[in-house]
Amino acid sequence: MALRREFKPALLAAAPLAGALLVMAAGAMLIASGATPSSPERFMRLSLALPSPVIEISHFASSVLGLVLVMLAFGLRARLDAAWAASIAVLFLTAILSLSKGLIWEEGLILAAIGTFLAPLRAAFPRKAALSQMEVSPGWLLSAGAAVAGAGLLGLWFFRHVSYEDQPFWSTMVDGDVARSIRAWAGAALAFLGFGVWRLVATAATPRVIGEDDPDFERVRAILAASESAEPLSNLALFGDKRFLFSESGRSFMMFGVRGRSWIALGGPVGQRDERLELLWRFREMADAHAARPGLYGIGPDDLQDVVELGFSIQKIGECARLPIQDFAFEGQTRAKIRRAWRQVRDGGAEFEVIPPGGIDAILPELAAISEEWLARQSGGDKSFALGGFNPSYLREFPVAVARWEGRIVAFANLWPTASRDAFSIDLMRYNWAAPKRIMDFLFVELIGWGREQGYAYLDFGNAPLAGLEDRPLAPVMTRVGRLMFDLGEDVYNFQGVRSYKDKFHPNWEPRYAAAPAKWAIAVLLADVSLLSSGGFAGLTRRPKKSEVPAPKKAEPPVEPLVAEALAARDPAPRTA
């Protein structure tokens, strides 16, 4: 008994992988068995005991169930309790079918032995997700496809002496080994096709979205207001489109979005530093329990140690510009252009003001008009998830910086504060055609002074996507592809323009990363972030119609093209043009 207690944890730990390999091998064996000839002597004895339809149905069902076992093997690897129960049932059923299809008792014994091995290992499969929520990786689908294709080739080799090439397919559907082989292989192939199509539309179960009318939304506000560890980006928690995982103390949270089977946390945990690692583990475990694919987007260097603890793969996705503002000065040649632009707009009559959250309602109609005009000139429309959008209830949560020209608001930006006063940032930055040239340069300079007065250490300019990636021979493939896009993708997105515009303020550049359990999953994660932020494929591909774009009120454009493009794209997730 003592020996059993010592070895039980090791056996339970090894059971998911061992069971998956055994069940997958059993499934491949059944598919191959269905594609190969039966033993004539055994088949003759069986035909005397069972009706022919029973034999044919058993042969066909055995091959289809072989593919089912190959698929269930992934569920065993993922520790799904439903996959464990289904695998045992299918194994014992196919053990019986092995006898009724051709008295293949060796095959039946192997299947029954695997089922007997799995039966007492229920504790090794604790996940409660249903089979309909099971994620199947591309590699596993490829393995199943290879098993089906291999069985077909095996059948062709065994029956190479049979001349059926010039016959219609249905003419082979008569009793005989050739017919049984073709039926079994075709059934497995059609089952595999159906499974693949189903996985395209099936999604994992998801927690509910917490909106502004939910009692938990007030918990989010309270955590942000007292957070020890929060980036300005954490304020997107108040947009009303996120799901949340709270710490046991209720003093920290993680926010995430869901697309298909992807659960994507935006940034790291928010709240207390000593609760960060525990929240990350709980997020991964909760996604695992729902058979979902977890990922982290937009994390910084401070998060990496904890993310490595999770066993995640990490990929750099760009850099974030953070400008120290307490000692910021415009003197010297390095910031001469910014200084001249600010003075030109200020001396022309521009006025700057930061409106507190309580005063937003009074200016909302003006802001809405500016936003509508600005959006009419942009591709993709308004954003969400990793980007802020024009939502009145969301704007009421924050101070809003406005620039007035001739007494009217012509540009605005809502501000993301942090409780620690380490950094603040700008979310929406929108202006209309009545704005003078370089109005956003003016707004940035004024915000530097405002932030200094408020006691902030940094102004966060947001991310420059794909910036800072190295094209070296030994660099990861995704890094080299990202660098190639940065160098050659200006027609798709103004990567270099964004980096160049922010760099003229001479900020400090910090790397930003994405992370997922597997390297291949990071590419899926980034695609899902773009779709979540853009509202799906329709939003991602939307282009402004010429009739929607208002004609300029001045002979020359109001903002430099580089500034306009850079500011339109300054948010953490790329806006694809």
Side-chain angles (χ1 to χ4, degrees):
M1 290 296 292
L3 187 63
R4 180 181 176 184
R5 285 195 298 270
E6 290 180 5
F7 280 97
K8 186 176 180 180
L11 180 61
L12 292 178
L17 179 57
L21 293 175
L22 289 172
V23 169
M24 186 173 188
M29 177 182 68
L30 287 171
I31 297 172
S33 174
T36 54
S38 305
S39 170
E41 295 81 5
R42 296 184 186 185
F43 191 81
M44 288 298 296
R45 290 201 298 268
L46 182 64
S47 63
L48 295 176
L50 292 177
S52 179
V54 174
I55 299 173
E56 301 300 330
I57 291 173
S58 298
H59 195 280
F60 179 81
S62 179
S63 294
V64 174
L65 290 174
L67 179 67
V68 171
L69 285 176
V70 173
M71 294 294 115
L72 287 174
F74 184 85
L76 292 176
R77 180 66 184 88
R79 310 189 315 281
L80 296 184
D81 61 344
W84 170 82
S87 295
I88 293 174
V90 174
L91 283 166
F92 284 111
L93 176 59
T94 51
I96 297 172
L97 293 177
S98 294
L99 299 177
S100 62
K101 76 178 184 179
L103 291 179
I104 312 174
W105 57 267
E106 301 92 342
E107 185 179 284
L109 284 177
I110 293 172
L111 294 167
I114 297 173
T116 303
F117 167 75
L118 286 176
L121 299 177
R122 169 67 181 82
F125 304 92
R127 294 176 62 185
K128 301 296 184 182
L131 288 176
S132 60
Q133 299 161 10
M134 182 177 69
E135 179 195 1
V136 178
S137 70
W140 210 269
L141 280 176
L142 183 62
S143 299
V148 174
L153 293 174
L154 190 63
L156 289 175
W157 187 83
F158 270 106
F159 297 107
R160 63 190 184 280
H161 61 283
V162 179
S163 179
Y164 55 85
E165 290 86 354
D166 298 330
Q167 301 179 38
F169 176 78
W170 56 85
S171 70
T172 64
M173 297 294 103
V174 295
D175 290 344
D177 278 339
V178 174
R180 280 190 293 274
S181 174
I182 293 177
R183 277 198 297 266
W185 182 83
L190 289 174
F192 177 69
L193 176 63
F195 182 84
V197 172
W198 172 66
R199 289 314 299 161
L200 291 175
V201 298
T203 59
T206 58
R208 60 188 174 84
V209 173
I210 294 179
E212 59 179 322
D213 297 327
D214 195 289
D216 282 335
F217 207 63
E218 190 57 43
R219 295 175 64 189
V220 174
R221 289 192 184 96
I223 292 170
L224 284 171
S227 173
E228 292 179 351
S229 175
E231 296 283 339
L233 184 68
S234 303
N235 287 287
L236 277 172
L238 300 177
F239 194 72
D241 64 342
K242 306 291 188 300
R243 295 165 170 87
F244 293 89
L245 173 64
F246 293 96
S247 66
E248 292 184 3
S249 70
R251 300 166 63 200
S252 304
F253 68 77
M254 284 188 70
M255 57 178 168
F256 63 100
V258 174
R259 179 174 175 80
R261 292 185 298 280
S262 295
W263 285 19
I264 307 167
L266 185 59
V270 178
Q272 304 304 304
R273 290 187 178 90
D274 59 358
E275 296 180 339
R276 292 167 62 88
L277 183 58
E278 178 62 24
L279 259 181
L280 285 168
W281 272 114
R282 286 185 57 203
F283 172 69
R284 181 171 189 185
E285 290 164 354
M286 185 173 71
D288 183 78
H290 286 78
R293 179 175 51 240
L296 306 171
Y297 178 81
I299 56 177
D302 293 342
D303 299 305
L304 292 187
Q305 181 176 348
D306 292 335
V307 173
V308 169
E309 289 278 346
L310 299 184
F312 276 13
S313 296
I314 300 169
Q315 175 64 46
K316 184 177 179 180
I317 56 174
E319 293 182 324
C320 177
R322 288 167 62 92
L323 179 68
I325 59 176
Q326 288 301 321
D327 298 324
F328 183 86
F330 284 104
E331 289 77 14
Q333 292 298 315
T334 56
R335 296 186 174 109
K337 290 184 179 179
I338 300 173
R339 183 172 64 246
R340 287 195 297 269
W342 167 66
R343 286 176 177 171
Q344 179 183 351
V345 178
R346 184 200 60 180
D347 294 346
E351 299 174 346
F352 169 83
E353 183 182 4
V354 174
I355 309 295
I360 303 303
D361 280 335
I363 61 171
L364 263 179
E366 291 180 88
L367 303 186
I370 293 171
S371 178
E372 184 177 352
E373 183 178 326
W374 186 88
L375 285 171
R377 304 194 298 270
Q378 309 302 317
S379 298
D382 227 336
K383 306 299 179 183
S384 59
F385 184 61
L387 307 169
F390 192 91
N391 181 332
S393 60
Y394 170 67
L395 289 179
R396 293 187 187 103
E397 301 281 353
F398 309 107
V400 174
V402 299
R404 289 187 172 87
W405 185 257
E406 297 177 350
R408 294 183 297 128
I409 297 176
V410 294
F412 74 91
N414 67 303
L415 308 180
W416 282 341
T418 56
S420 65
R421 301 274 170 157
D422 174 60
F424 77 102
S425 186
I426 302 168
D427 181 22
L428 304 181
M429 294 179 291
R430 299 184 177 179
Y431 53 89
N432 62 16
W433 284 111
K437 291 178 63 176
R438 300 182 176 177
I439 187 64
M440 285 302 178
D441 285 350
F442 167 78
L443 199 63
F444 269 122
V445 173
E446 293 291 340
L447 280 170
I448 291 171
W450 177 85
R452 185 189 294 121
E453 293 174 1
Q454 297 296 315
Y456 285 97
Y458 293 92
L459 169 57
D460 188 329
F461 280 87
N463 285 10
L466 303 183
L469 303 183
E470 295 286 346
D471 183 15
R472 294 180 180 272
L474 299 181
V477 173
M478 289 186 63
T479 298
R480 301 189 69 183
V481 171
R483 180 65 193 200
L484 183 65
M485 292 178 62
F486 182 83
D487 291 337
L488 304 178
E490 289 299 288
D491 291 338
V492 177
Y493 180 85
N494 191 28
F495 295 108
Q496 297 181 36
V498 171
R499 180 63 157 79
S500 176
Y501 179 78
K502 296 175 181 180
D503 205 34
K504 71 181 183 179
F505 288 88
H506 299 277
N508 299 332
W509 290 97
E510 293 184 358
R512 288 294 179 265
Y513 304 92
K519 199 70 173 180
W520 66 264
I522 295 178
V524 179
L525 180 152
L526 295 178
D528 284 336
V529 168
S530 294
L531 292 170
L532 276 173
S533 299
S534 301
F537 287 101
L540 194 64
T541 58
R542 179 188 179 274
R543 296 293 181 269
K545 298 178 181 179
K546 291 183 178 179
S547 59
E548 295 178 348
V549 180
K553 297 181 180 180
K554 298 186 179 183
E556 58 181 358
V559 181
E560 295 172 302
L562 176 60
V563 175
E565 293 177 18
L567 293 176
R570 50 82 52 195
D571 292 292
R575 299 172 188 248
T576 304

